[in-house]
C-alpha cells in the first residue's frame, strides 16, 4: 500500500473469506491496514451490525455494508 500511495486517493479492501456471510469483518485486519496508510481506507466483507460500523469508524475506516442492509440487520 505504501508503494501505491502516491497514485491512489483511497484503498478498498474486501475480506473475501467473510464476504456475504454477515459473520463480521476481522477488526484486527482493519487495524493492520489502517497502520499501513494515511489514505482513505474502505473495507468490506461480512459486516453485520452498526456496532461493527462504529468500531471501524473509530479506527477512521469506512465500511461497505451490503448483506446486513438487505436483511435488515443494519438500517440506514
Amino acid at each position: 500500500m505504501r508503494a501505491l500511495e502516491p497514485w491512489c486517493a483511497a484503498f478498498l479492501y474486501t475480506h473475501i473469506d467473510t464476504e456475504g456471510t454477515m459473520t463480521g469483518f476481522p477488526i484486527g485486519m482493519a487495524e493492520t491496514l489502517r497502520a499501513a496508510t494515511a489514505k482513505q481506507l474502505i473495507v468490506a466483507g461480512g459486516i453485520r451490525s452498526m456496532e461493527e460500523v462504529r468500531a471501524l469508524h473509530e479506527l477512521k475506516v469506512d465500511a461497505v455494508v451490503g448483506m446486513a442492509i438487505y436483511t435488515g440487520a443494519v438500517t440506514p
Side-chain angles (χ1 to χ4, degrees):
M1 290 172 74
R2 288 185 180 122
L4 294 171
E5 277 190 338
W7 298 280
C8 297
F11 291 97
L12 169 62
Y13 174 85
T14 301
H15 195 76
I16 60 170
D17 292 345
T18 54
E19 180 71 17
T21 65
M22 288 185 48
T23 57
F25 185 88
I27 297 297
M29 178 59 73
E31 292 169 338
T32 299
L33 294 168
R34 176 75 286 153
T37 184
K39 300 282 185 167
Q40 180 186 15
L41 176 61
I42 308 158
V43 300
I47 295 169
R48 62 182 169 196
S49 68
M50 277 306 299
E51 291 76 23
E52 195 169 6
V53 172
R54 285 185 194 101
L56 289 165
H57 179 74
E58 287 179 19
L59 294 172
K60 297 185 183 346
V61 175
D62 295 323
V64 175
V65 182
M67 190 62 69
I69 289 176
Y70 305 144
T71 63
V74 169
T75 56

Short mmCIF file of all heavy atoms in Angstrom, two decimals:
data_model
loop_
_atom_site.label_atom_id
_atom_site.label_comp_id
_atom_site.label_asym_id
_atom_site.label_seq_id
_atom_site.Cartn_x
_atom_site.Cartn_y
_atom_site.Cartn_z
N MET A 1 0.82 -1.19 0.00
CA MET A 1 0.00 0.00 0.00
C MET A 1 0.87 1.25 0.00
O MET A 1 0.55 2.20 -0.71
CB MET A 1 -0.93 0.00 1.21
CG MET A 1 -2.03 -1.05 1.13
SD MET A 1 -2.99 -1.22 2.64
CE MET A 1 -3.99 0.23 2.60
N ARG A 2 1.92 1.23 0.80
CA ARG A 2 2.77 2.42 0.86
C ARG A 2 3.38 2.74 -0.50
O ARG A 2 3.51 3.91 -0.87
CB ARG A 2 3.85 2.23 1.92
CG ARG A 2 3.28 2.28 3.31
CD ARG A 2 4.36 2.21 4.39
NE ARG A 2 3.72 2.27 5.69
CZ ARG A 2 3.84 1.34 6.63
NH1 ARG A 2 4.60 0.29 6.42
NH2 ARG A 2 3.21 1.46 7.77
N ALA A 3 3.74 1.72 -1.25
CA ALA A 3 4.32 1.93 -2.58
C ALA A 3 3.31 2.55 -3.55
O ALA A 3 3.68 3.27 -4.47
CB ALA A 3 4.85 0.62 -3.14
N LEU A 4 2.03 2.29 -3.34
CA LEU A 4 0.98 2.79 -4.23
C LEU A 4 0.41 4.14 -3.80
O LEU A 4 -0.30 4.78 -4.58
CB LEU A 4 -0.15 1.77 -4.33
CG LEU A 4 0.22 0.45 -5.01
CD1 LEU A 4 -0.92 -0.55 -4.85
CD2 LEU A 4 0.55 0.67 -6.46
N GLU A 5 0.68 4.56 -2.58
CA GLU A 5 0.08 5.79 -2.05
C GLU A 5 0.20 7.00 -2.96
O GLU A 5 -0.76 7.76 -3.08
CB GLU A 5 0.64 6.12 -0.66
CG GLU A 5 -0.06 5.36 0.42
CD GLU A 5 0.32 5.86 1.81
OE1 GLU A 5 1.38 6.49 1.98
OE2 GLU A 5 -0.47 5.61 2.73
N PRO A 6 1.34 7.23 -3.63
CA PRO A 6 1.43 8.43 -4.48
C PRO A 6 0.42 8.46 -5.62
O PRO A 6 0.10 9.53 -6.12
CB PRO A 6 2.86 8.37 -5.03
CG PRO A 6 3.62 7.54 -4.06
CD PRO A 6 2.63 6.53 -3.56
N TRP A 7 -0.10 7.32 -6.01
CA TRP A 7 -1.00 7.25 -7.15
C TRP A 7 -2.44 6.91 -6.77
O TRP A 7 -3.30 6.81 -7.65
CB TRP A 7 -0.49 6.20 -8.15
CG TRP A 7 0.85 6.59 -8.67
CD1 TRP A 7 1.14 7.49 -9.66
CD2 TRP A 7 2.11 6.12 -8.20
NE1 TRP A 7 2.49 7.60 -9.82
CE2 TRP A 7 3.13 6.76 -8.93
CE3 TRP A 7 2.49 5.21 -7.21
CZ2 TRP A 7 4.47 6.53 -8.73
CZ3 TRP A 7 3.84 4.97 -7.00
CH2 TRP A 7 4.81 5.63 -7.76
N CYS A 8 -2.73 6.74 -5.52
CA CYS A 8 -4.07 6.34 -5.08
C CYS A 8 -4.66 7.37 -4.14
O CYS A 8 -3.97 7.89 -3.26
CB CYS A 8 -4.02 4.99 -4.36
SG CYS A 8 -3.47 3.65 -5.43
N ALA A 9 -5.94 7.64 -4.31
CA ALA A 9 -6.64 8.53 -3.39
C ALA A 9 -7.19 7.77 -2.19
O ALA A 9 -7.39 8.34 -1.13
CB ALA A 9 -7.78 9.24 -4.12
N ALA A 10 -7.44 6.47 -2.38
CA ALA A 10 -8.03 5.64 -1.33
C ALA A 10 -7.73 4.18 -1.64
O ALA A 10 -7.32 3.84 -2.76
CB ALA A 10 -9.54 5.85 -1.27
N PHE A 11 -7.96 3.34 -0.64
CA PHE A 11 -7.79 1.90 -0.81
C PHE A 11 -9.08 1.20 -0.38
O PHE A 11 -9.67 1.54 0.64
CB PHE A 11 -6.63 1.37 0.04
CG PHE A 11 -5.29 1.83 -0.45
CD1 PHE A 11 -4.67 2.92 0.12
CD2 PHE A 11 -4.65 1.18 -1.49
CE1 PHE A 11 -3.44 3.36 -0.33
CE2 PHE A 11 -3.42 1.60 -1.96
CZ PHE A 11 -2.81 2.69 -1.37
N LEU A 12 -9.49 0.21 -1.17
CA LEU A 12 -10.65 -0.62 -0.86
C LEU A 12 -10.16 -2.04 -0.64
O LEU A 12 -9.49 -2.60 -1.51
CB LEU A 12 -11.66 -0.59 -2.01
CG LEU A 12 -12.81 -1.60 -1.94
CD1 LEU A 12 -13.67 -1.37 -0.71
CD2 LEU A 12 -13.64 -1.53 -3.21
N TYR A 13 -10.49 -2.59 0.53
CA TYR A 13 -10.10 -3.96 0.86
C TYR A 13 -11.36 -4.77 1.10
O TYR A 13 -12.20 -4.40 1.92
CB TYR A 13 -9.23 -3.98 2.12
CG TYR A 13 -8.92 -5.38 2.60
CD1 TYR A 13 -7.85 -6.09 2.08
CD2 TYR A 13 -9.70 -5.99 3.57
CE1 TYR A 13 -7.58 -7.38 2.51
CE2 TYR A 13 -9.44 -7.27 4.02
CZ TYR A 13 -8.37 -7.96 3.48
OH TYR A 13 -8.10 -9.23 3.91
N THR A 14 -11.51 -5.88 0.37
CA THR A 14 -12.62 -6.79 0.59
C THR A 14 -12.08 -8.07 1.18
O THR A 14 -11.22 -8.73 0.57
CB THR A 14 -13.36 -7.09 -0.72
OG1 THR A 14 -13.85 -5.87 -1.27
CG2 THR A 14 -14.52 -8.05 -0.49
N HIS A 15 -12.57 -8.43 2.35
CA HIS A 15 -12.15 -9.67 3.01
C HIS A 15 -13.02 -10.78 2.43
O HIS A 15 -14.16 -10.99 2.88
CB HIS A 15 -12.32 -9.54 4.53
CG HIS A 15 -11.59 -10.60 5.28
ND1 HIS A 15 -10.24 -10.57 5.45
CD2 HIS A 15 -12.03 -11.72 5.86
CE1 HIS A 15 -9.87 -11.64 6.13
NE2 HIS A 15 -10.95 -12.36 6.39
N ILE A 16 -12.49 -11.48 1.43
CA ILE A 16 -13.32 -12.43 0.67
C ILE A 16 -13.74 -13.64 1.49
O ILE A 16 -14.74 -14.28 1.18
CB ILE A 16 -12.63 -12.87 -0.64
CG1 ILE A 16 -11.30 -13.55 -0.36
CG2 ILE A 16 -12.45 -11.68 -1.57
CD1 ILE A 16 -10.69 -14.21 -1.58
N ASP A 17 -13.01 -13.95 2.56
CA ASP A 17 -13.40 -15.10 3.39
C ASP A 17 -14.73 -14.87 4.10
O ASP A 17 -15.40 -15.83 4.47
CB ASP A 17 -12.32 -15.40 4.44
CG ASP A 17 -11.04 -15.93 3.83
OD1 ASP A 17 -11.06 -16.33 2.65
OD2 ASP A 17 -10.01 -15.93 4.52
N THR A 18 -15.09 -13.60 4.33
CA THR A 18 -16.33 -13.31 5.04
C THR A 18 -17.34 -12.56 4.18
O THR A 18 -18.43 -12.24 4.66
CB THR A 18 -16.03 -12.49 6.31
OG1 THR A 18 -15.28 -11.32 5.95
CG2 THR A 18 -15.27 -13.31 7.33
N GLU A 19 -17.02 -12.30 2.92
CA GLU A 19 -17.91 -11.57 2.02
C GLU A 19 -19.26 -12.25 1.92
O GLU A 19 -19.37 -13.45 1.64
CB GLU A 19 -17.28 -11.47 0.62
CG GLU A 19 -18.12 -10.73 -0.38
CD GLU A 19 -18.19 -9.24 -0.13
OE1 GLU A 19 -17.35 -8.69 0.62
OE2 GLU A 19 -19.10 -8.62 -0.68
N GLY A 20 -20.34 -11.50 2.20
CA GLY A 20 -21.70 -12.00 2.08
C GLY A 20 -22.15 -12.93 3.20
O GLY A 20 -23.26 -13.43 3.16
N THR A 21 -21.32 -13.13 4.22
CA THR A 21 -21.66 -14.09 5.26
C THR A 21 -22.28 -13.49 6.51
O THR A 21 -22.86 -14.21 7.32
CB THR A 21 -20.40 -14.85 5.72
OG1 THR A 21 -19.49 -13.92 6.34
CG2 THR A 21 -19.72 -15.56 4.56
N MET A 22 -22.12 -12.18 6.69
CA MET A 22 -22.59 -11.49 7.90
C MET A 22 -22.00 -12.13 9.17
O MET A 22 -22.67 -12.22 10.19
CB MET A 22 -24.12 -11.45 7.96
CG MET A 22 -24.71 -10.49 6.96
SD MET A 22 -26.49 -10.29 7.10
CE MET A 22 -26.75 -10.04 8.82
N THR A 23 -20.77 -12.58 9.09
CA THR A 23 -20.10 -13.17 10.25
C THR A 23 -19.14 -12.20 10.91
O THR A 23 -18.48 -12.56 11.88
CB THR A 23 -19.34 -14.46 9.86
OG1 THR A 23 -18.40 -14.14 8.82
CG2 THR A 23 -20.31 -15.53 9.38
N GLY A 24 -19.07 -10.98 10.40
CA GLY A 24 -18.21 -9.96 10.98
C GLY A 24 -16.94 -9.76 10.20
O GLY A 24 -16.38 -10.71 9.65
N PHE A 25 -16.52 -8.52 10.13
CA PHE A 25 -15.25 -8.18 9.49
C PHE A 25 -14.15 -8.30 10.54
O PHE A 25 -14.33 -7.85 11.67
CB PHE A 25 -15.29 -6.75 8.94
CG PHE A 25 -14.05 -6.38 8.17
CD1 PHE A 25 -13.98 -6.65 6.82
CD2 PHE A 25 -12.96 -5.82 8.81
CE1 PHE A 25 -12.83 -6.33 6.11
CE2 PHE A 25 -11.81 -5.51 8.11
CZ PHE A 25 -11.75 -5.77 6.76
N PRO A 26 -13.01 -8.88 10.21
CA PRO A 26 -11.93 -9.00 11.19
C PRO A 26 -11.31 -7.63 11.52
O PRO A 26 -10.56 -7.08 10.72
CB PRO A 26 -10.92 -9.93 10.51
CG PRO A 26 -11.21 -9.82 9.05
CD PRO A 26 -12.67 -9.48 8.93
N ILE A 27 -11.66 -7.11 12.67
CA ILE A 27 -11.22 -5.77 13.08
C ILE A 27 -9.69 -5.67 13.11
O ILE A 27 -9.12 -4.64 12.78
CB ILE A 27 -11.84 -5.38 14.44
CG1 ILE A 27 -13.37 -5.32 14.34
CG2 ILE A 27 -11.28 -4.05 14.94
CD1 ILE A 27 -13.91 -4.27 13.40
N GLY A 28 -9.02 -6.75 13.50
CA GLY A 28 -7.56 -6.74 13.51
C GLY A 28 -6.98 -6.46 12.14
O GLY A 28 -5.95 -5.78 12.02
N MET A 29 -7.63 -6.95 11.09
CA MET A 29 -7.19 -6.66 9.72
C MET A 29 -7.35 -5.18 9.42
O MET A 29 -6.49 -4.56 8.81
CB MET A 29 -7.98 -7.50 8.72
CG MET A 29 -7.62 -7.22 7.27
SD MET A 29 -5.88 -7.49 6.87
CE MET A 29 -5.83 -9.27 6.89
N ALA A 30 -8.45 -4.59 9.86
CA ALA A 30 -8.67 -3.16 9.65
C ALA A 30 -7.59 -2.36 10.37
O ALA A 30 -7.08 -1.37 9.83
CB ALA A 30 -10.05 -2.75 10.14
N GLU A 31 -7.22 -2.77 11.56
CA GLU A 31 -6.16 -2.08 12.30
C GLU A 31 -4.83 -2.18 11.57
O GLU A 31 -4.09 -1.18 11.46
CB GLU A 31 -6.03 -2.67 13.71
CG GLU A 31 -7.23 -2.39 14.58
CD GLU A 31 -7.24 -3.20 15.87
OE1 GLU A 31 -6.59 -4.26 15.94
OE2 GLU A 31 -7.93 -2.75 16.82
N THR A 32 -4.51 -3.34 11.05
CA THR A 32 -3.27 -3.54 10.30
C THR A 32 -3.23 -2.68 9.04
O THR A 32 -2.23 -2.01 8.75
CB THR A 32 -3.10 -5.03 9.91
OG1 THR A 32 -3.03 -5.79 11.11
CG2 THR A 32 -1.86 -5.26 9.08
N LEU A 33 -4.34 -2.68 8.30
CA LEU A 33 -4.40 -1.88 7.09
C LEU A 33 -4.35 -0.39 7.39
O LEU A 33 -3.70 0.38 6.68
CB LEU A 33 -5.68 -2.22 6.32
CG LEU A 33 -5.75 -3.63 5.75
CD1 LEU A 33 -7.16 -3.94 5.26
CD2 LEU A 33 -4.73 -3.83 4.64
N ARG A 34 -5.04 0.02 8.47
CA ARG A 34 -5.05 1.44 8.85
C ARG A 34 -3.62 1.91 9.16
O ARG A 34 -3.22 3.03 8.81
CB ARG A 34 -5.96 1.64 10.06
CG ARG A 34 -6.00 3.04 10.64
CD ARG A 34 -6.80 4.06 9.83
NE ARG A 34 -6.07 4.46 8.65
CZ ARG A 34 -6.61 4.91 7.51
NH1 ARG A 34 -7.91 5.03 7.40
NH2 ARG A 34 -5.89 5.23 6.48
N ALA A 35 -2.84 1.06 9.79
CA ALA A 35 -1.46 1.41 10.13
C ALA A 35 -0.57 1.50 8.89
O ALA A 35 0.49 2.14 8.93
CB ALA A 35 -0.89 0.38 11.10
N ALA A 36 -1.01 0.90 7.79
CA ALA A 36 -0.18 0.85 6.58
C ALA A 36 -0.36 2.06 5.67
O ALA A 36 0.43 2.26 4.75
CB ALA A 36 -0.48 -0.42 5.80
N THR A 37 -1.40 2.88 5.90
CA THR A 37 -1.64 4.01 5.01
C THR A 37 -2.36 5.14 5.74
O THR A 37 -3.15 4.89 6.65
CB THR A 37 -2.46 3.60 3.77
OG1 THR A 37 -2.57 4.73 2.90
CG2 THR A 37 -3.83 3.08 4.13
N ALA A 38 -2.08 6.34 5.30
CA ALA A 38 -2.80 7.51 5.81
C ALA A 38 -3.97 7.87 4.89
O ALA A 38 -4.79 8.71 5.23
CB ALA A 38 -1.85 8.70 5.91
N LYS A 39 -4.05 7.22 3.72
CA LYS A 39 -5.12 7.49 2.77
C LYS A 39 -6.45 6.94 3.28
O LYS A 39 -6.50 6.15 4.22
CB LYS A 39 -4.80 6.82 1.42
CG LYS A 39 -3.53 7.28 0.77
CD LYS A 39 -3.72 8.61 0.12
CE LYS A 39 -2.44 9.00 -0.63
NZ LYS A 39 -2.64 10.11 -1.52
N GLN A 40 -7.52 7.37 2.63
CA GLN A 40 -8.83 6.82 2.97
C GLN A 40 -8.77 5.31 2.81
O GLN A 40 -8.22 4.79 1.84
CB GLN A 40 -9.91 7.40 2.06
CG GLN A 40 -11.29 6.85 2.37
CD GLN A 40 -12.35 7.30 1.38
OE1 GLN A 40 -12.04 7.80 0.30
NE2 GLN A 40 -13.60 7.13 1.75
N LEU A 41 -9.35 4.61 3.78
CA LEU A 41 -9.40 3.16 3.75
C LEU A 41 -10.86 2.72 3.86
O LEU A 41 -11.58 3.16 4.76
CB LEU A 41 -8.59 2.57 4.91
CG LEU A 41 -8.62 1.06 5.08
CD1 LEU A 41 -8.07 0.36 3.85
CD2 LEU A 41 -7.84 0.66 6.32
N ILE A 42 -11.27 1.89 2.93
CA ILE A 42 -12.63 1.37 2.88
C ILE A 42 -12.54 -0.14 2.94
O ILE A 42 -11.76 -0.74 2.21
CB ILE A 42 -13.33 1.80 1.58
CG1 ILE A 42 -13.22 3.32 1.38
CG2 ILE A 42 -14.79 1.34 1.58
CD1 ILE A 42 -13.39 3.76 -0.06
N VAL A 43 -13.33 -0.75 3.84
CA VAL A 43 -13.31 -2.20 3.95
C VAL A 43 -14.70 -2.78 3.73
O VAL A 43 -15.71 -2.11 3.95
CB VAL A 43 -12.75 -2.68 5.31
CG1 VAL A 43 -11.33 -2.19 5.51
CG2 VAL A 43 -13.63 -2.27 6.47
N ALA A 44 -14.72 -4.04 3.30
CA ALA A 44 -15.97 -4.74 3.06
C ALA A 44 -15.76 -6.21 3.36
O ALA A 44 -14.63 -6.70 3.38
CB ALA A 44 -16.39 -4.57 1.59
N GLY A 45 -16.88 -6.90 3.59
CA GLY A 45 -16.81 -8.34 3.75
C GLY A 45 -17.26 -8.82 5.11
O GLY A 45 -16.48 -8.86 6.04
N GLY A 46 -18.53 -9.13 5.23
CA GLY A 46 -19.04 -9.74 6.45
C GLY A 46 -19.57 -8.79 7.50
O GLY A 46 -20.00 -9.23 8.57
N ILE A 47 -19.54 -7.50 7.25
CA ILE A 47 -20.01 -6.53 8.24
C ILE A 47 -21.46 -6.84 8.58
O ILE A 47 -22.30 -7.04 7.70
CB ILE A 47 -19.83 -5.10 7.73
CG1 ILE A 47 -18.33 -4.83 7.58
CG2 ILE A 47 -20.49 -4.09 8.66
CD1 ILE A 47 -17.99 -3.56 6.83
N ARG A 48 -21.76 -6.89 9.91
CA ARG A 48 -23.07 -7.40 10.32
C ARG A 48 -23.87 -6.49 11.24
O ARG A 48 -25.02 -6.78 11.54
CB ARG A 48 -22.90 -8.74 11.00
CG ARG A 48 -22.06 -8.65 12.27
CD ARG A 48 -21.85 -9.99 12.90
NE ARG A 48 -20.84 -9.88 13.94
CZ ARG A 48 -20.22 -10.89 14.47
NH1 ARG A 48 -20.51 -12.11 14.09
NH2 ARG A 48 -19.31 -10.71 15.39
N SER A 49 -23.28 -5.41 11.77
CA SER A 49 -24.02 -4.61 12.75
C SER A 49 -23.53 -3.16 12.76
O SER A 49 -22.43 -2.86 12.30
CB SER A 49 -23.84 -5.19 14.15
OG SER A 49 -22.50 -5.03 14.57
N MET A 50 -24.37 -2.30 13.31
CA MET A 50 -23.97 -0.90 13.48
C MET A 50 -22.81 -0.79 14.47
O MET A 50 -21.97 0.10 14.33
CB MET A 50 -25.15 -0.05 13.96
CG MET A 50 -26.06 0.40 12.84
SD MET A 50 -25.22 1.28 11.49
CE MET A 50 -24.53 2.69 12.33
N GLU A 51 -22.75 -1.67 15.46
CA GLU A 51 -21.64 -1.64 16.41
C GLU A 51 -20.31 -1.85 15.67
O GLU A 51 -19.31 -1.21 15.97
CB GLU A 51 -21.82 -2.71 17.49
CG GLU A 51 -22.96 -2.43 18.45
CD GLU A 51 -24.35 -2.72 17.88
OE1 GLU A 51 -24.45 -3.52 16.92
OE2 GLU A 51 -25.32 -2.12 18.37
N GLU A 52 -20.33 -2.75 14.71
CA GLU A 52 -19.13 -3.00 13.91
C GLU A 52 -18.78 -1.80 13.05
O GLU A 52 -17.61 -1.41 12.94
CB GLU A 52 -19.36 -4.23 13.05
CG GLU A 52 -18.12 -4.81 12.46
CD GLU A 52 -18.39 -6.17 11.84
OE1 GLU A 52 -19.55 -6.62 11.76
OE2 GLU A 52 -17.40 -6.78 11.45
N VAL A 53 -19.79 -1.18 12.45
CA VAL A 53 -19.57 0.03 11.66
C VAL A 53 -18.97 1.12 12.55
O VAL A 53 -18.02 1.81 12.15
CB VAL A 53 -20.88 0.50 10.99
CG1 VAL A 53 -20.70 1.85 10.32
CG2 VAL A 53 -21.36 -0.54 9.99
N ARG A 54 -19.49 1.27 13.76
CA ARG A 54 -18.95 2.27 14.69
C ARG A 54 -17.50 1.97 15.08
O ARG A 54 -16.68 2.87 15.16
CB ARG A 54 -19.83 2.36 15.94
CG ARG A 54 -21.13 3.06 15.71
CD ARG A 54 -21.93 3.23 17.01
NE ARG A 54 -23.29 3.60 16.70
CZ ARG A 54 -24.33 2.78 16.71
NH1 ARG A 54 -24.19 1.52 17.07
NH2 ARG A 54 -25.52 3.21 16.40
N ALA A 55 -17.19 0.70 15.30
CA ALA A 55 -15.82 0.31 15.66
C ALA A 55 -14.87 0.63 14.51
O ALA A 55 -13.75 1.13 14.75
CB ALA A 55 -15.76 -1.18 15.99
N LEU A 56 -15.29 0.40 13.29
CA LEU A 56 -14.46 0.74 12.14
C LEU A 56 -14.32 2.25 12.02
O LEU A 56 -13.23 2.77 11.75
CB LEU A 56 -15.06 0.15 10.86
CG LEU A 56 -14.97 -1.37 10.75
CD1 LEU A 56 -15.89 -1.89 9.65
CD2 LEU A 56 -13.53 -1.81 10.51
N HIS A 57 -15.40 2.97 12.27
CA HIS A 57 -15.36 4.43 12.22
C HIS A 57 -14.35 4.99 13.23
O HIS A 57 -13.62 5.94 12.92
CB HIS A 57 -16.76 4.99 12.48
CG HIS A 57 -16.82 6.48 12.48
ND1 HIS A 57 -16.74 7.22 11.33
CD2 HIS A 57 -16.94 7.37 13.50
CE1 HIS A 57 -16.81 8.50 11.65
NE2 HIS A 57 -16.93 8.61 12.96
N GLU A 58 -14.31 4.40 14.41
CA GLU A 58 -13.34 4.84 15.42
C GLU A 58 -11.90 4.66 14.94
O GLU A 58 -11.01 5.40 15.36
CB GLU A 58 -13.56 4.09 16.73
CG GLU A 58 -14.79 4.52 17.48
CD GLU A 58 -15.01 3.75 18.77
OE1 GLU A 58 -14.06 3.14 19.28
OE2 GLU A 58 -16.16 3.77 19.26
N LEU A 59 -11.68 3.68 14.08
CA LEU A 59 -10.35 3.45 13.50
C LEU A 59 -10.11 4.35 12.29
O LEU A 59 -9.05 4.27 11.66
CB LEU A 59 -10.20 1.99 13.07
CG LEU A 59 -10.20 0.94 14.15
CD1 LEU A 59 -10.24 -0.46 13.54
CD2 LEU A 59 -8.98 1.11 15.05
N LYS A 60 -11.11 5.18 11.95
CA LYS A 60 -11.07 6.01 10.75
C LYS A 60 -11.03 5.16 9.49
O LYS A 60 -10.30 5.42 8.53
CB LYS A 60 -9.89 6.99 10.79
CG LYS A 60 -9.98 7.98 11.94
CD LYS A 60 -8.87 9.00 11.87
CE LYS A 60 -8.81 10.00 12.97
NZ LYS A 60 -9.80 10.24 13.87
N VAL A 61 -11.85 4.12 9.51
CA VAL A 61 -12.01 3.20 8.39
C VAL A 61 -13.47 3.25 7.95
O VAL A 61 -14.37 3.12 8.79
CB VAL A 61 -11.61 1.76 8.79
CG1 VAL A 61 -11.90 0.79 7.66
CG2 VAL A 61 -10.14 1.70 9.20
N ASP A 62 -13.70 3.45 6.66
CA ASP A 62 -15.06 3.46 6.13
C ASP A 62 -15.48 2.03 5.81
O ASP A 62 -14.64 1.17 5.55
CB ASP A 62 -15.13 4.32 4.87
CG ASP A 62 -14.85 5.79 5.18
OD1 ASP A 62 -15.28 6.27 6.24
OD2 ASP A 62 -14.19 6.46 4.37
N ALA A 63 -16.79 1.80 5.82
CA ALA A 63 -17.31 0.45 5.64
C ALA A 63 -18.29 0.39 4.47
O ALA A 63 -19.10 1.29 4.29
CB ALA A 63 -18.02 -0.01 6.91
N VAL A 64 -18.21 -0.71 3.72
CA VAL A 64 -19.22 -1.04 2.73
C VAL A 64 -20.12 -2.08 3.37
O VAL A 64 -19.66 -3.14 3.78
CB VAL A 64 -18.58 -1.61 1.44
CG1 VAL A 64 -19.66 -2.05 0.46
CG2 VAL A 64 -17.65 -0.59 0.81
N VAL A 65 -21.38 -1.74 3.51
CA VAL A 65 -22.33 -2.63 4.17
C VAL A 65 -23.35 -3.07 3.12
O VAL A 65 -24.06 -2.25 2.57
CB VAL A 65 -23.04 -1.93 5.35
CG1 VAL A 65 -23.97 -2.89 6.06
CG2 VAL A 65 -22.00 -1.36 6.32
N GLY A 66 -23.40 -4.35 2.85
CA GLY A 66 -24.32 -4.86 1.84
C GLY A 66 -25.37 -5.78 2.42
O GLY A 66 -26.49 -5.37 2.69
N MET A 67 -25.00 -7.02 2.65
CA MET A 67 -25.95 -8.05 3.10
C MET A 67 -26.68 -7.63 4.38
O MET A 67 -27.87 -7.89 4.53
CB MET A 67 -25.23 -9.38 3.31
CG MET A 67 -26.16 -10.55 3.54
SD MET A 67 -27.26 -10.92 2.16
CE MET A 67 -26.09 -11.51 0.96
N ALA A 68 -25.99 -6.95 5.28
CA ALA A 68 -26.61 -6.54 6.54
C ALA A 68 -27.73 -5.53 6.30
O ALA A 68 -28.71 -5.50 7.04
CB ALA A 68 -25.57 -5.97 7.50
N ILE A 69 -27.61 -4.72 5.26
CA ILE A 69 -28.70 -3.80 4.91
C ILE A 69 -29.83 -4.57 4.25
O ILE A 69 -31.00 -4.40 4.57
CB ILE A 69 -28.20 -2.66 4.01
CG1 ILE A 69 -27.33 -1.71 4.82
CG2 ILE A 69 -29.37 -1.90 3.37
CD1 ILE A 69 -26.70 -0.59 4.03
N TYR A 70 -29.47 -5.47 3.31
CA TYR A 70 -30.50 -6.25 2.60
C TYR A 70 -31.37 -7.06 3.55
O TYR A 70 -32.56 -7.23 3.33
CB TYR A 70 -29.87 -7.19 1.58
CG TYR A 70 -28.96 -6.53 0.57
CD1 TYR A 70 -27.83 -7.18 0.12
CD2 TYR A 70 -29.22 -5.27 0.07
CE1 TYR A 70 -26.98 -6.60 -0.80
CE2 TYR A 70 -28.39 -4.67 -0.84
CZ TYR A 70 -27.27 -5.33 -1.28
OH TYR A 70 -26.43 -4.75 -2.19
N THR A 71 -30.75 -7.60 4.61
CA THR A 71 -31.50 -8.44 5.54
C THR A 71 -32.16 -7.65 6.66
O THR A 71 -32.91 -8.23 7.46
CB THR A 71 -30.58 -9.49 6.17
OG1 THR A 71 -29.55 -8.83 6.92
CG2 THR A 71 -29.96 -10.40 5.11
N GLY A 72 -31.84 -6.36 6.79
CA GLY A 72 -32.42 -5.53 7.84
C GLY A 72 -31.65 -5.55 9.14
O GLY A 72 -32.06 -4.93 10.11
N ALA A 73 -30.49 -6.22 9.19
CA ALA A 73 -29.67 -6.23 10.41
C ALA A 73 -29.10 -4.84 10.70
O ALA A 73 -28.91 -4.48 11.86
CB ALA A 73 -28.54 -7.25 10.29
N VAL A 74 -28.84 -4.08 9.65
CA VAL A 74 -28.38 -2.69 9.77
C VAL A 74 -29.34 -1.86 8.95
O VAL A 74 -29.62 -2.18 7.80
CB VAL A 74 -26.95 -2.52 9.24
CG1 VAL A 74 -26.57 -1.06 9.12
CG2 VAL A 74 -25.94 -3.24 10.12
N THR A 75 -29.88 -0.82 9.57
CA THR A 75 -30.79 0.06 8.83
C THR A 75 -30.12 1.40 8.65
O THR A 75 -29.44 1.91 9.55
CB THR A 75 -32.12 0.22 9.58
OG1 THR A 75 -31.86 0.70 10.91
CG2 THR A 75 -32.88 -1.08 9.66
N PRO A 76 -30.30 2.00 7.47
CA PRO A 76 -29.68 3.30 7.19
C PRO A 76 -30.24 4.41 8.04
O PRO A 76 -31.23 4.32 8.66
CB PRO A 76 -29.96 3.53 5.72
CG PRO A 76 -30.75 2.40 5.21
CD PRO A 76 -31.03 1.48 6.35
#
